[in-house]
Amino acid sequence: MIQALAFYLFAGVVIASAVMVIMSRNPVHSVLWLILAFFNAAGLMVLVGAEFIAMLLVIVYVGAVAVLFLFVVMMLDIDFAAMRAGLVKNFPLGIAIALVLLAELLLGLGAYGAGGLELGTPDGAAMTNRPGVSNIEAIGALLYGRYIVLFEIAGIILLVAMIGAIVLTYRGTKPGSRSRQDVGKQIRRRPEEATVMKNPEYGKGVDL
Amino acid sequence: MTEFFQSFGMPYEWAWTVATLAAIVVISLLVMLSVAMVIFVDRKVIAAVSLRRGPNVVGPFGLMQSFADGLKVFLQETIIPSAANKGIFLLAPIITFTVALAAWAVIPFDAGWVVADINVGLLYILAISSLGVYGVVMSGWASNSKYPFFSAMRAAAQMISYEVSIGFVLVCVVLWAGTFNMSGIVEAQRGHGLGIVNGFFFNLLLFPIFVVFFISALAETARAPFDLTEAESELVAGYQTEYSSMAFALFWLGEYANILLMCSLCTLLFFGGWLPPIDWAPLYIVPGIFWFLTKTFFFFLVFSWIWATVPRYRYDQLMRLGWKVFLPMSLVFVAAISGYLMAIGHFDRPAPDAPPIMEETEFVEAAPAVQGAERDPS
């Protein structure tokens, strides 16, 4: 009873907020609706007992990705009315993407109706639902055992992407420019080097 | 508590729901009450350090000061700037406050005294605390004012930066404890230091990690010396500049609830939670909640002591500390600790016995089984 109520609540909010993402006129509102959609998707994950995935969804998507997204949308002063003007031009492309998504959805539903994929174990036997093994342990055993090579490859791709982003945006500092700071030098500086005690006579200035 | 409601003839599901709701209300009220008292303590400590008296008029020793302030704020008019984005402007304090309270769901106050004894307790806290950014960012943007926006940007960058090193610190603790469950982490600290003292704090490899965690907690909650988000000489009052009355109070309450949460995390992760400091039988006569509250309060005193004594950082120094000092340091410690634990064969032994799981969790875990059964025939 409660499970069903919770499911329809989460699912309903996911769909409603997903619709609002594309319907709302203000891009910041769109991002906030997207965050609500992510969050409720995490709720759905909890309902099917995948609490680890749910937490990862919140930490990674809501906590990191969406924050940066929100940053960009807030900081950029984009004229969204001008962007919407290209609707007619981009209409065929949009329709094509929508059709691909629809086909994928139908294919996925068909596959699910046919029984879905059988999860296997490293020794080839079908995966049995072992009680007492938590989400984290199960995912960890798969990720760091069977799929360790794929995992490492994904890690290296991300590392290369990160270094690439840094190299592309790094402008370098000119020697002697003021934006370059030597923290050690700053800390080593003593008051005696920076300040001078002067006791000027009345009416006379200080000659530095 | 579920049995109590079941005795009224409720079915199990509804009894569980009502019991959990009751527990949520009790914990929220207690957290609010302690926030009020802790604000008073904060002001008293700062007054003492700067040789003032602090609040001493309302009630005995000024104890009722926070409640008087709360009443005053409650009776004030809510002013919404005409250029503000009204919906988000009002939503932001609500989110800050809700998120600050939500994290308390997995905090065990004593053995078994926890609303949700979930397996991923620590991850839940990470997830919830990463949500705290939204209240700040939304308030800064929706105010449609320069200073709050600056402050919100600062706060968001600061929180994201320090969350990274907090994450690595938590990895170290989890490696040693072998579980993400908060109660399990506390139990893993029983007799940790040579069988004499309870707590990861006394571990030579984990002590530097504790220092990183504590300083990151200061930055994460935007407390001095990292309170750049409300640097009054630069930003008026930070992201809450445009807020008044209850909306402002919600930010204030949420902020202090977060500080208390960080103090209790220090207690749970490094100082053995509800366990007495020394693993000595007579000390176990004292109820565990006493130890938990004492340790948490001690950390809060340290927080306000730091606020009263340490000058504010510059923003670039803050970022440097987070990314160039703490991040490499915590990474090195993750590698060092996992290497050490591998060398001594720590991972070969079975995971520590989790404390008896409360009956609440059974219901949560029953849900997937039911749905799995429905799926099978298809």
Side-chain angles (χ1 to χ4, degrees):
Chain A
M1 177 63 188
I2 293 176
Q3 295 97 310
L5 277 181
F7 172 77
Y8 285 115
L9 176 73
F10 285 136
V13 176
V14 168
I15 294 173
S17 48
V19 168
M20 288 308 290
V21 172
I22 47 174
M23 295 298 281
S24 54
R25 295 196 160 267
N26 191 330
V28 174
H29 290 184
S30 286
V31 179
L32 293 174
W33 284 115
L34 184 68
I35 292 159
L36 189 64
F38 280 148
F39 200 70
N40 281 280
L44 285 175
M45 293 289 180
V46 170
L47 278 187
V48 296
E51 71 268 7
F52 182 60
I53 308 264
M55 292 304 149
L56 279 195
L57 196 67
V58 175
I59 293 172
V60 175
Y61 281 92
V62 181
V65 175
V67 172
L68 298 178
F69 207 46
L70 198 59
F71 249 46
V72 173
V73 172
M74 281 179 178
M75 303 279 277
L76 295 181
D77 191 20
I78 308 170
D79 186 4
F80 279 86
M83 282 177 75
R84 277 213 187 77
L87 183 67
V88 182
K89 195 181 71 183
N90 295 328
F91 197 68
L93 185 68
I95 288 289
I97 292 175
L99 281 178
V100 169
L101 284 178
L102 182 69
E104 281 182 348
L105 264 179
L106 290 178
L107 201 65
L109 279 175
Y112 181 80
L117 278 181
E118 284 288 318
L119 290 178
T121 48
D123 52 352
M127 185 82 147
T128 47
N129 208 357
R130 285 175 299 168
V133 176
S134 71
N135 258 253
I136 304 175
E137 285 171 59
I139 291 175
L142 276 179
L143 203 58
Y144 299 110
R146 190 175 181 191
Y147 298 115
I148 181 71
V149 180
L150 293 175
F151 179 75
E152 296 276 340
I153 291 173
I156 288 177
I157 290 174
L158 284 176
L159 182 69
V160 170
M162 190 178 86
I163 294 173
I166 294 172
V167 167
L168 286 177
T169 53
Y170 182 68
R171 295 211 186 105
T173 43
K174 296 184 199 105
S177 83
R178 296 188 66 183
S179 61
R180 185 116 194 139
Q181 291 186 357
D182 185 352
V183 176
K185 203 174 148 195
Q186 288 179 343
I187 292 171
R188 278 197 305 275
R189 199 167 153 98
R190 296 290 95 169
E192 302 86 65
E193 301 166 27
T195 54
V196 195
M197 270 301 272
K198 292 272 186 181
N199 200 4
E201 283 175 43
Y202 178 74
K204 293 188 180 164
V206 179
D207 195 17
L208 283 171
Chain B
M1 208 145 53
T2 309
E3 286 90 19
F4 174 73
F5 286 105
Q6 267 180 309
S7 66
F8 293 125
M10 283 187 192
Y12 180 78
E13 292 180 6
W14 289 108
W16 179 85
T17 311
V18 174
T20 310
L21 285 178
I24 290 171
V25 169
V26 168
I27 287 188
S28 307
L29 286 178
L30 286 181
V31 169
M32 283 302 93
L33 189 69
S34 35
V35 161
M37 295 325 291
V38 136
I39 290 176
F40 168 76
V41 171
D42 213 13
R43 295 175 66 177
K44 274 289 190 192
V45 168
I46 290 161
V49 172
S50 49
L51 300 180
R52 291 181 288 116
R53 282 176 193 274
N56 63 349
V57 176
V58 192
F61 310 107
L63 271 171
M64 307 302 284
Q65 180 68 46
S66 296
F67 299 100
D69 286 346
L71 189 67
K72 180 199 79 176
V73 153
F74 191 71
L75 296 175
Q76 278 173 338
E77 182 193 355
T78 305
I79 299 168
I80 302 174
S82 56
N85 195 318
K86 204 170 175 185
I88 298 182
F89 185 81
L90 290 178
L91 197 62
I94 298 174
I95 287 186
T96 305
F97 182 71
T98 316
V99 162
L101 280 185
W104 288 89
V106 294
I107 299 285
F109 295 90
D110 197 347
W113 285 23
V114 48
V115 180
D117 196 16
I118 53 177
N119 275 330
V120 286
L122 206 51
L123 283 177
Y124 172 82
I125 287 183
L126 256 187
I128 291 294
S129 68
S130 68
L131 287 181
V133 179
Y134 285 108
V136 176
V137 171
M138 284 162 73
S139 68
W141 182 79
S143 297
N144 201 358
S145 163
K146 289 285 179 293
Y147 290 125
F149 192 61
F150 270 136
S151 165
M153 288 296 140
R154 281 186 179 188
Q158 176 175 341
M159 282 167 141
I160 293 174
S161 309
Y162 280 85
E163 232 155 58
V164 180
S165 45
I166 284 189
F168 281 118
V169 168
L170 298 188
V171 167
C172 293
V173 173
V174 166
L175 277 175
W176 216 296
T179 173
F180 274 101
N181 181 293
M182 297 302 285
S183 311
I185 291 172
V186 172
E187 280 302 322
Q189 298 177 45
R190 190 186 288 273
H192 185 72
L194 304 170
I196 305 167
V197 279
N198 297 323
F200 283 148
F201 175 79
F202 306 99
N203 185 322
L204 277 183
L205 267 174
L206 286 171
F207 172 73
I209 277 296
F210 165 72
V211 176
V212 171
F213 180 77
F214 190 77
I215 298 174
S216 301
L218 284 174
E220 178 81 9
T221 52
R223 279 286 281 198
F226 307 111
D227 55 347
L228 286 136
T229 55
E230 35 199 278
E232 59 279 345
S233 52
E234 306 156 24
L235 294 175
V236 190
Y239 53 86
Q240 41 206 334
T241 305
E242 305 291 343
Y243 282 86
S244 58
S245 87
M246 261 333 260
F248 174 75
L250 285 183
F251 273 122
W252 204 235
L253 292 172
E255 203 169 288
Y256 270 90
N258 267 332
I259 292 166
L260 276 184
L261 180 80
M262 280 299 169
C263 295
S264 63
L265 272 187
C266 284
T267 308
L268 288 169
L269 299 179
F270 292 97
F271 276 77
W274 65 79
L275 301 171
I278 298 168
D279 200 16
W280 182 47
L283 286 179
Y284 283 95
I285 298 167
V286 183
I289 185 143
F290 169 78
W291 295 116
F292 176 80
L293 293 180
T294 313
K295 290 169 185 175
T296 307
F297 186 64
F298 167 75
F299 281 113
F300 184 78
L301 282 183
V302 179
F303 264 63
S304 44
W305 175 33
I306 290 174
W307 188 19
T309 45
V310 183
R312 187 177 291 140
Y313 258 51
R314 224 169 47 209
Y315 201 73
D316 62 311
Q317 291 173 329
L318 172 85
M319 281 296 146
R320 181 181 163 272
L321 185 72
W323 288 105
K324 293 188 179 172
V325 180
F326 280 175
L327 184 61
M329 193 174 154
S330 49
L331 262 175
V332 165
F333 268 93
V334 169
I337 287 175
S338 46
Y340 173 75
L341 291 178
M342 283 294 270
I344 63 168
H346 182 82
F347 298 122
D348 302 334
R349 71 192 173 86
D353 291 333
I357 295 167
M358 285 170 81
E359 78 276 18
E360 266 87 337
T361 50
E362 284 165 20
F363 170 59
V364 179
E365 281 165 7
V370 173
Q371 293 188 341
E374 284 168 359
R375 260 178 61 177
D376 279 342
S378 59

